[in-house]
Amino acid sequence: MPLKDLRNIGIAAHIDAGKTTVTERILFYTGINRKMGEVHDGMATMDFMKQEQERGITIASAAITCFWKGSQINLIDTPGHVDFTVEVERSLRVIDGMVAVFCAVGGVEPQSETVWYQADRYKVPRIGFINKMDRTGADFYEVINQMNNHLDAKAVPFHLPMGAEDAFTGVIDVIEGKAIIFRDKSIEITDIPDSYREKYNEAKKHLIETLADFDDKVMEFYLEEKEVSVDMLKKAARKATLKLIITPVFCGAAYKNKGVEMLLDAVVDYLPSPIDVGAVMGTDIDDPEKFHPRCPSVKDPFAALAFKIIHDPFVGQQTFIRIYSGMLSGGMKIFNSAKAKPEHTGRIFKIHAKERVEVSEAGPGDIVALIGMKFTKTGDTLCDIDHKVLLESIHVPPSVIEMKITPLARKEQEKLGESLKKLSNEDPSFHMRVDEETNETIISGMGELHLEIIVDRLKHEFGVEVEVGEPSVAYRETITAEVESNYKHVKQSGGKGQYAHTIFRIEPNEGKGYEFIDKIRGGAIPSEYIVSVNKGIQKTMAEGVLTNFPVIDVKVVLTDGNFHPVDSSDMAFQTCASICFKQGFMKAGPILLEPVMKIEINTPDDYIGDVSGNLNKRRGRIESVRRYRKGSQKINGLVPLMEMFGYSTVLRNLSSGRANYSMEFYKYLPVPKAIQEEVLKKMAEKNRVGG
């Protein structure tokens, strides 16, 4: 397959916009499936996890290969629920183009915006598909307005709907100038009916004017009032889409099999091939200032990005990779530049949802699963062992909610630990730790549903029954002042003693994470023990000082200290640094930080006062209120996560079940003093009881 005919695309949208149904129809029309799977009866090909089938939602992005009119389409279906946003993030990192699905009734919803801005971050060209045109309340033109007003999408209709709701019978193809009528199991292409001629002329004029703004040839024909050919329009539209200047918009009703074939045509016509995307830029592993391009060619050295890990009960760990350059063959020795370790490729598979097809080699643009990777995790670069390079990794938001879990049978503790390790390997937004004081296992993730799915998977996939505690907020600790800390660790207990002495400055480092700067001069502390100092500090930060929450945004500058030629050791310096850090931390104005969420509430006008008032009571800050659609408004604001447990029930009661909301992590901000004291008091009591 020539690279110009390859499309790596993702389908993304708000939950319930119908993206999995769109995917199922694509698989049917491209001949992958003989019958159409449905989300509502748990038979969707792409939703093959038990948890997905029960809830009717997509949780884990699934990869599949299909063919359409001489082009190969590698398709990644992604979740719409905000708790699984890391799945969308990692898919967007490796795809070249995206189909953004919008509900013709719901329009631009909270998660549509999140997905759109994620695609902006990775500069992914996209086309829009307005789905569910057959539903009551469907409004194509209102969704186009919302795309332009809320997303700045530069949305241009390439289709015009013929009718809406029950009367949705076909579409007008603006570029081809034809009407496409949907029959039971076929389409009929006819001339545009007179009743749609005026709308079509307006849309065609708007399309040509938009393309003329940046395409000289179209501009020339437009000014000279010459007919712009279909071929010229398509070429200009493709160029504009690839440069993110426009978003072509199509429409249909996937559930009723309307518009999917035209959407496939659009994927081939307007979304990029790996050649259109061009070289990816990697950095030198020894010098981050040095860049190495990797072109989509078999002649360039091998470079790929691992974007997903799945534990399969039959073959073990599958590592999904996107190959950017060079060739990969089974048994080849490659290099993981993120871990600075060599890897051996075992078997290579192309994936059809849960089915695997083994291949002997794979090349640029391919998305494959590798069996037998030992060190590779999500976001790692795999490359040619003689031409090392580091590609941009994957942005993973911090986990904001945690809960304690214990196995029902004590003998299953080890099995629980192993299962959780596998799950955290798969999902970089899920974490586990063991509280050393209470010996309790604590899991943390992106939201209540995220952890609920984890617990469900423990039971059904790994056979571990657990008891769960109440979900709680995952706080962080930091400091507000700069201090110097000086500690000498001396321990003599017969035999070899322990000796270490460290002096370091601790400073706030807001928004920049942890930084360690070594300013030791004249070998006061040997270099191998400087590593130990850093290790001791990081371990203490992970465990927390004020409570058991990790410390973030701190800079440590190691200025002085000394060692003993016999009694100093790695452990002595780790212990010394840990105590030195704790002492300094407690003098540096320690505070708790809480996760603050971006919230978006869609509410009918009648309830705006009650909903706003309730949000203010929850320490929420309303940033904007705007007209959402006729009779309803959209509230955007910030609110601490700790105030939001059980909010869905409250909102339902406040609005007679008519309002809905979506939250996503914004940033960690200081907890007000009175609340901090309350939280610390509760934590101390809990620890006393637990101890």
Side-chain angles (χ1 to χ4, degrees), residues 482-499:
E482 184 181 309
V483 296
E484 183 170 89
S485 190
N486 181 339
Y487 179 71
K488 192 180 281 187
H489 178 66
V490 185
K491 217 169 183 187
Q492 217 55 56
S493 54
K496 193 181 170 190
Q498 284 187 35
Y499 181 91

Side-chain angles (χ1 to χ4, degrees), residues 77-96:
D77 184 32
T78 60
H81 196 287
V82 72
D83 280 11
F84 306 102
T85 191
V86 74
E87 287 286 344
V88 184
E89 191 78 39
R90 55 178 162 197
S91 302
L92 285 168
R93 174 65 186 82
V94 296
I95 59 177
D96 299 329

Side-chain angles (χ1 to χ4, degrees), residues 353-368:
K354 60 184 170 181
E355 289 167 21
R356 298 176 292 272
V357 179
E358 189 164 357
V359 293
S360 57
E361 58 179 20
D366 281 338
I367 290 176
V368 294

Side-chain angles (χ1 to χ4, degrees), residues 419-438:
S419 306
L420 289 173
K421 197 174 174 200
K422 284 178 182 171
L423 288 167
S424 62
N425 277 348
E426 275 186 25
D427 179 354
S429 66
F430 168 68
H431 303 279
M432 63 149 300
R433 63 187 170 87
V434 175
D435 184 322
E436 286 186 6
E437 283 180 31
T438 60

Side-chain angles (χ1 to χ4, degrees), residues 425-489:
N425 277 348
E426 275 186 25
D427 179 354
S429 66
F430 168 68
H431 303 279
M432 63 149 300
R433 63 187 170 87
V434 175
D435 184 322
E436 286 186 6
E437 283 180 31
T438 60
N439 208 26
E440 289 172 313
T441 302
I442 296 162
I443 58 172
S444 55
M446 300 301 298
E448 290 179 76
L449 180 63
H450 188 194
L451 296 187
E452 188 188 312
I453 299 288
I454 293 283
V455 169
D456 213 33
R457 288 187 67 192
L458 280 172
K459 181 179 175 179
H460 292 106
E461 274 177 52
F462 298 94
V464 183
E465 292 270 8
V466 293
E467 202 172 62
V468 301
E470 286 294 309
S472 61
V473 173
Y475 294 98
R476 296 289 183 267
E477 305 176 12
T478 195
I479 53 170
T480 54
E482 184 181 309
V483 296
E484 183 170 89
S485 190
N486 181 339
Y487 179 71
K488 192 180 281 187
H489 178 66

